[in-house]
Protein backbone atom coordinates (compact mmCIF):
# COMPACT_ATOMS: atom_id res chain seq x y z
CA UNK A 1 0.00 0.00 0.00
CA UNK A 2 0.97 3.65 -0.27
CA UNK A 3 1.88 3.70 3.45
CA UNK A 4 4.88 1.48 2.61
CA UNK A 5 5.94 2.93 -0.74
CA UNK A 6 5.81 6.73 -1.04
CA UNK A 7 3.80 8.44 -3.76
CA UNK A 8 6.99 9.41 -5.56
CA UNK A 9 8.39 5.88 -5.64
CA UNK A 10 5.09 4.56 -7.04
CA UNK A 11 4.57 7.28 -9.63
CA UNK A 12 8.12 8.08 -10.79
CA UNK A 13 8.22 5.36 -13.50
CA UNK A 14 5.05 6.67 -15.16
CA UNK A 15 4.98 10.29 -13.96
CA UNK A 16 5.64 12.09 -17.24
CA UNK A 17 3.24 9.91 -19.24
CA UNK A 18 0.58 10.19 -16.53
CA UNK A 19 0.80 13.97 -16.02
CA UNK A 20 0.71 14.44 -19.78
CA UNK A 21 -2.54 12.46 -19.98
CA UNK A 22 -3.97 14.50 -17.09
CA UNK A 23 -3.28 17.79 -18.92
CA UNK A 24 -0.72 18.87 -16.32
CA UNK A 25 2.07 19.37 -18.86
CA UNK A 26 -0.18 21.40 -21.17
CA UNK A 27 -0.98 23.88 -18.39
CA UNK A 28 2.58 24.31 -17.17
CA UNK A 29 3.21 27.59 -19.05
CA UNK A 30 0.32 29.23 -17.20
CA UNK A 31 1.57 27.82 -13.89
CA UNK A 32 5.07 29.14 -14.46
CA UNK A 33 3.87 32.58 -15.64
CA UNK A 34 1.74 32.84 -12.49
CA UNK A 35 4.60 31.89 -10.17
CA UNK A 36 7.14 34.08 -11.96
CA UNK A 37 4.97 37.08 -11.06
CA UNK A 38 6.08 36.64 -7.43
CA UNK A 39 9.73 35.75 -7.87
CA UNK A 40 10.96 37.20 -11.20
CA UNK A 41 14.78 37.35 -11.10
CA UNK A 42 14.67 36.07 -7.50
CA UNK A 43 14.37 32.76 -5.72
CA UNK A 44 11.75 30.07 -5.19
CA UNK A 45 11.44 26.82 -3.26
CA UNK A 46 9.16 24.03 -4.51
CA UNK A 47 7.71 21.63 -1.93
CA UNK A 48 7.47 18.18 -3.53
CA UNK A 49 9.45 19.19 -6.61
CA UNK A 50 8.97 15.85 -8.36
CA UNK A 51 10.58 15.53 -11.78
CA UNK A 52 10.73 19.33 -12.20
CA UNK A 53 7.57 19.63 -14.32
CA UNK A 54 7.14 23.20 -12.99
CA UNK A 55 10.57 23.92 -11.48
CA UNK A 56 12.57 23.33 -14.68
CA UNK A 57 10.70 25.85 -16.89
CA UNK A 58 10.59 28.32 -13.97
CA UNK A 59 14.38 28.11 -13.56
CA UNK A 60 14.78 28.54 -17.33
CA UNK A 61 13.08 31.94 -16.92
CA UNK A 62 15.89 33.06 -14.60
CA UNK A 63 14.42 32.21 -11.18
CA UNK A 64 16.84 30.45 -8.80
CA UNK A 65 14.71 27.42 -7.94
CA UNK A 66 15.40 24.92 -5.18
CA UNK A 67 13.29 21.96 -4.17
CA UNK A 68 12.53 19.26 -1.63
CA UNK A 69 11.18 15.79 -2.27
CA UNK A 70 11.07 12.58 -0.24
CA UNK A 71 11.44 10.32 -3.29
CA UNK A 72 14.89 9.38 -4.58
CA UNK A 73 13.35 8.21 -7.83
CA UNK A 74 11.70 11.58 -8.45
CA UNK A 75 14.93 13.42 -7.58
CA UNK A 76 16.80 11.24 -10.08
CA UNK A 77 14.32 12.20 -12.81
CA UNK A 78 14.88 15.87 -11.92
CA UNK A 79 18.68 15.50 -11.98
CA UNK A 80 18.45 13.94 -15.46
CA UNK A 81 16.58 17.01 -16.73
CA UNK A 82 18.71 19.81 -15.30
CA UNK A 83 21.69 20.79 -13.22
CA UNK A 84 20.33 24.32 -12.66
CA UNK A 85 18.26 23.29 -9.64
CA UNK A 86 19.45 22.38 -6.15
CA UNK A 87 17.08 19.81 -4.66
CA UNK A 88 17.40 17.71 -1.55
CA UNK A 89 15.72 14.66 -0.09
CA UNK A 90 13.49 15.60 2.83
CA UNK A 91 10.00 15.77 4.24
CA UNK A 92 8.02 18.88 3.33
CA UNK A 93 6.22 18.68 6.67
CA UNK A 94 9.44 19.28 8.59
CA UNK A 95 12.19 21.19 6.90
CA UNK A 96 14.47 24.04 7.78
CA UNK A 97 16.25 26.21 5.27
CA UNK A 98 18.94 28.80 5.94
CA UNK A 99 17.88 30.50 2.74
CA UNK A 100 14.85 32.84 2.51
CA UNK A 101 12.78 32.75 -0.70
CA UNK A 102 10.60 35.21 -2.63
CA UNK A 103 8.15 32.38 -3.24
CA UNK A 104 7.56 28.98 -1.70
CA UNK A 105 5.07 26.90 -3.67
CA UNK A 106 3.32 23.55 -3.43
CA UNK A 107 1.28 22.64 -6.50
CA UNK A 108 -0.88 19.91 -8.05
CA UNK A 109 -2.38 18.18 -5.00
CA UNK A 110 0.97 17.62 -3.25
CA UNK A 111 -0.11 19.31 0.00
CA UNK A 112 -2.87 16.71 0.51
CA UNK A 113 -0.31 13.89 0.32
CA UNK A 114 0.46 14.95 3.90
CA UNK A 115 -2.22 12.73 5.36
CA UNK A 116 -2.64 14.25 8.84
CA UNK A 117 -3.72 17.69 10.00
CA UNK A 118 -0.57 17.95 12.13
CA UNK A 119 1.71 17.28 9.15
CA UNK A 120 -0.15 19.85 7.04
CA UNK A 121 0.19 22.55 9.72
CA UNK A 122 3.87 21.67 10.21
CA UNK A 123 4.40 22.08 6.46
CA UNK A 124 2.75 25.52 6.49
CA UNK A 125 4.90 26.51 9.49
CA UNK A 126 8.13 25.38 7.79
CA UNK A 127 7.10 27.19 4.60
CA UNK A 128 6.24 30.42 6.45
CA UNK A 129 9.68 30.39 8.10
CA UNK A 130 11.38 30.02 4.72
CA UNK A 131 9.71 33.13 3.27
CA UNK A 132 11.51 36.36 2.73
CA UNK A 133 9.85 39.35 4.41
CA UNK A 134 7.69 40.12 1.36
CA UNK A 135 7.62 36.51 0.22
CA UNK A 136 4.51 34.53 -0.74
CA UNK A 137 3.39 30.95 -0.24
CA UNK A 138 1.39 29.61 -3.21
CA UNK A 139 -0.68 26.47 -2.78
CA UNK A 140 -2.73 24.73 -5.47
CA UNK A 141 -5.42 22.39 -4.17
CA UNK A 142 -8.42 20.55 -5.54
CA UNK A 143 -11.81 21.39 -4.07
CA UNK A 144 -13.04 18.20 -2.38
CA UNK A 145 -16.00 16.73 -4.29
CA UNK A 146 -17.36 14.22 -1.85
CA UNK A 147 -21.05 13.86 -2.69
CA UNK A 148 -20.78 10.34 -4.11
CA UNK A 149 -18.97 9.24 -0.98
CA UNK A 150 -21.57 10.30 1.54
CA UNK A 151 -23.32 7.20 2.86
CA UNK A 152 -21.61 4.46 0.86
CA UNK A 153 -18.08 5.72 1.62
CA UNK A 154 -16.70 4.02 -1.49
CA UNK A 155 -16.57 5.09 -5.09
CA UNK A 156 -15.22 4.05 -8.47
CA UNK A 157 -14.90 6.75 -11.11
CA UNK A 158 -13.57 6.85 -14.66
CA UNK A 159 -10.75 9.40 -14.75
CA UNK A 160 -9.81 9.04 -18.41
CA UNK A 161 -10.93 6.88 -21.30
CA UNK A 162 -9.43 7.10 -24.80
CA UNK A 163 -8.44 4.61 -27.50
CA UNK A 164 -5.29 3.53 -25.66
CA UNK A 165 -6.05 4.10 -21.98
CA UNK A 166 -8.69 3.53 -19.33
CA UNK A 167 -7.94 5.05 -15.95
CA UNK A 168 -10.28 4.25 -13.06
CA UNK A 169 -10.03 5.70 -9.58
CA UNK A 170 -11.34 3.44 -6.82
CA UNK A 171 -11.54 5.20 -3.44
CA UNK A 172 -12.53 4.53 0.14
CA UNK A 173 -13.44 7.47 2.36
CA UNK A 174 -12.21 7.75 5.95
CA UNK A 175 -14.33 10.70 7.12
CA UNK A 176 -12.93 10.81 10.65
CA UNK A 177 -9.47 11.68 9.30
CA UNK A 178 -10.59 13.46 6.09
CA UNK A 179 -8.63 10.81 4.20
CA UNK A 180 -9.33 9.31 0.80
CA UNK A 181 -7.51 6.04 0.31
CA UNK A 182 -7.55 5.30 -3.38
CA UNK A 183 -6.01 3.23 -6.12
CA UNK A 184 -5.75 4.28 -9.74
CA UNK A 185 -6.15 1.35 -12.09
CA UNK A 186 -4.55 2.23 -15.42
CA UNK A 187 -5.34 -0.20 -18.24
CA UNK A 188 -3.33 0.27 -21.45
CA UNK A 189 -2.47 -2.20 -24.20
CA UNK A 190 -1.97 -5.45 -22.32
CA UNK A 191 -0.89 -3.91 -19.01
CA UNK A 192 -2.73 -2.94 -15.85
CA UNK A 193 -0.90 -0.64 -13.46
CA UNK A 194 -2.04 -0.27 -9.88
CA UNK A 195 -1.16 3.08 -8.28
CA UNK A 196 -2.24 3.48 -4.64
CA UNK A 197 -2.25 6.75 -2.70
CA UNK A 198 -3.66 8.40 0.42
CA UNK A 199 -4.63 12.06 0.63
CA UNK A 200 -6.07 14.26 3.35
CA UNK A 201 -8.56 16.56 1.60
CA UNK A 202 -8.86 20.14 2.85
CA UNK A 203 -11.48 22.79 2.16
CA UNK A 204 -10.15 26.23 1.32
CA UNK A 205 -11.39 27.80 4.53
CA UNK A 206 -9.69 25.13 6.63
CA UNK A 207 -6.47 25.86 4.71
CA UNK A 208 -6.88 29.56 5.58
CA UNK A 209 -7.34 28.71 9.25
CA UNK A 210 -4.27 26.48 9.29
CA UNK A 211 -2.27 29.21 7.55
CA UNK A 212 -3.45 31.78 10.11
CA UNK A 213 -2.21 29.46 12.87
CA UNK A 214 1.35 29.83 11.53
CA UNK A 215 1.26 33.61 10.93
CA UNK A 216 0.11 33.77 7.31
CA UNK A 217 -2.90 35.49 5.78
CA UNK A 218 -4.67 34.98 2.49
CA UNK A 219 -3.66 37.56 -0.12
CA UNK A 220 -5.33 36.20 -3.25
CA UNK A 221 -7.33 33.18 -4.35
CA UNK A 222 -7.88 32.14 -7.97
CA UNK A 223 -9.74 29.33 -9.72
CA UNK A 224 -6.93 28.54 -12.17
CA UNK A 225 -3.39 29.52 -13.17
CA UNK A 226 -4.73 32.11 -15.66
CA UNK A 227 -6.29 33.98 -12.69
CA UNK A 228 -9.86 32.94 -13.46
CA UNK A 229 -12.25 33.66 -10.60
CA UNK A 230 -12.64 31.12 -7.79
CA UNK A 231 -16.37 30.32 -7.67
CA UNK A 232 -18.82 27.71 -6.42
CA UNK A 233 -18.12 25.79 -9.65
CA UNK A 234 -14.34 25.72 -9.24
CA UNK A 235 -12.73 22.31 -8.99
CA UNK A 236 -9.50 23.70 -7.58
CA UNK A 237 -8.02 26.88 -6.18
CA UNK A 238 -4.67 28.59 -6.18
CA UNK A 239 -4.20 30.44 -2.92
CA UNK A 240 -1.48 32.99 -2.22
CA UNK A 241 -0.52 33.69 1.39
CA UNK A 242 1.69 36.38 2.89
CA UNK A 243 3.00 36.98 6.38
CA UNK A 244 0.23 38.49 8.53
CA UNK A 245 0.58 42.18 9.21
CA UNK A 246 1.74 42.78 12.80
C1 LIG B 1 1.82 15.08 -7.27
S1 LIG B 1 3.56 15.04 -7.28
C2 LIG B 1 3.90 16.71 -7.79
C3 LIG B 1 5.28 16.88 -8.36
C4 LIG B 1 5.54 18.29 -8.90
N1 LIG B 1 5.38 19.28 -7.85
C5 LIG B 1 4.58 18.60 -10.02
O1 LIG B 1 3.74 19.49 -9.84
O2 LIG B 1 4.63 17.94 -11.05
C6 LIG B 1 3.94 15.07 -5.56
C7 LIG B 1 5.42 15.11 -5.25
O3 LIG B 1 5.59 15.34 -3.85
C8 LIG B 1 6.49 14.39 -3.31
N2 LIG B 1 6.10 14.19 -1.91
C9 LIG B 1 4.97 13.61 -1.43
N3 LIG B 1 4.95 13.64 -0.09
C10 LIG B 1 6.10 14.26 0.30
C11 LIG B 1 6.68 14.60 1.56
N4 LIG B 1 6.05 14.32 2.71
N5 LIG B 1 7.87 15.23 1.59
C12 LIG B 1 8.53 15.52 0.43
N6 LIG B 1 8.03 15.23 -0.79
C13 LIG B 1 6.83 14.61 -0.87
C14 LIG B 1 6.35 13.17 -4.19
O4 LIG B 1 7.50 12.35 -4.15
C15 LIG B 1 6.12 13.80 -5.56
O5 LIG B 1 7.33 14.06 -6.21
Amino acid sequence: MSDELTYGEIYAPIYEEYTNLQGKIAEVNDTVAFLEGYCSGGSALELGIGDGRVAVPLSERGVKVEGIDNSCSMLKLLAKRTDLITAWEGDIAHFRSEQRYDAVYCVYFTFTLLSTREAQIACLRSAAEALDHEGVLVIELGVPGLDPLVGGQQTAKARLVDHENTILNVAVHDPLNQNLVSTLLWFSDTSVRRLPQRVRYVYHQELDTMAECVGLELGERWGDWARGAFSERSERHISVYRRSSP
Side-chain angles (χ1 to χ4, degrees):
M1 276 293 290
S2 54
D3 288 343
E4 289 155 20
L5 267 185
T6 64
Y7 174 94
E9 295 307 309
I10 293 166
Y11 273 77
I14 49 89
Y15 193 70
E16 191 174 358
E17 188 186 355
Y18 179 69
T19 47
N20 191 29
L21 276 174
Q22 295 297 316
K24 301 306 288 182
I25 293 180
E27 73 171 20
V28 85
N29 282 341
D30 281 350
T31 310
V32 167
F34 183 99
L35 293 169
E36 193 190 10
Y38 302 98
C39 53
S40 180
S43 61
L45 175 68
E46 178 161 358
L47 308 182
I49 191 168
D51 70 345
R53 179 183 69 90
V54 175
V56 170
L58 186 61
S59 73
E60 286 168 354
R61 291 186 182 211
V63 177
K64 186 174 181 307
V65 184
E66 299 187 353
I68 307 174
D69 206 287
N70 66 356
S71 159
C72 286
S73 303
M74 282 291 193
L75 290 171
K76 277 186 197 153
L77 293 178
L78 174 69
K80 265 194 212 157
R81 287 177 71 168
T82 185
D83 53 11
L84 286 179
I85 293 175
T86 304
W88 64 92
E89 194 181 338
D91 182 358
I92 59 171
H94 304 281
F95 66 93
R96 290 284 168 277
S97 168
E98 296 297 308
Q99 166 106 22
R100 295 291 172 262
Y101 301 89
D102 298 307
V104 175
Y105 63 94
C106 188
V107 299
Y108 208 172
F109 59 93
T110 303
F111 184 76
T112 57
L113 291 171
L114 297 170
S115 62
T116 66
R117 183 171 153 274
E118 291 73 19
Q120 291 181 343
I121 293 175
C123 173
L124 293 175
R125 181 169 290 114
S126 302
E129 284 170 11
L131 288 180
D132 213 350
H133 193 59
E134 300 292 320
V136 296
L137 170 64
V138 179
I139 298 190
E140 178 189 21
L141 276 191
V143 172
L146 299 174
D147 286 358
L149 288 166
V150 174
Q153 312 296 358
Q154 293 175 18
T155 183
K157 213 166 156 182
R159 286 280 290 273
L160 184 144
V161 181
D162 65 19
H163 287 304
E164 282 100 38
N165 306 283
T166 303
I167 302 183
L168 300 178
N169 187 33
V170 184
V172 178
H173 186 203
D174 166 6
L176 292 183
N177 295 301
Q178 290 186 203
N179 271 201
L180 283 176
V181 184
S182 61
T183 298
L184 280 189
L185 297 173
W186 182 352
F187 302 83
S188 56
D189 298 325
T190 55
S191 81
V192 183
R193 282 167 281 190
R194 193 178 158 275
L195 304 161
Q197 71 184 36
R198 176 188 289 270
V199 300
R200 178 177 186 271
Y201 59 85
V202 186
Y203 287 93
H204 55 287
Q205 292 195 339
E206 183 190 358
L207 184 66
D208 295 346
T209 304
M210 292 195 290
E212 283 163 17
C213 288
V214 302
L216 296 171
E217 65 186 12
L218 182 69
E220 301 161 37
R221 172 163 287 135
W222 303 100
D224 59 41
W225 291 110
R227 295 178 186 271
F230 179 63
S231 74
E232 68 277 9
R233 291 176 188 273
S234 296
E235 294 182 354
R236 65 174 162 174
H237 58 92
I238 291 123
S239 300
V240 182
Y241 296 93
R242 299 177 187 279
R243 286 181 193 278
S244 314
S245 344

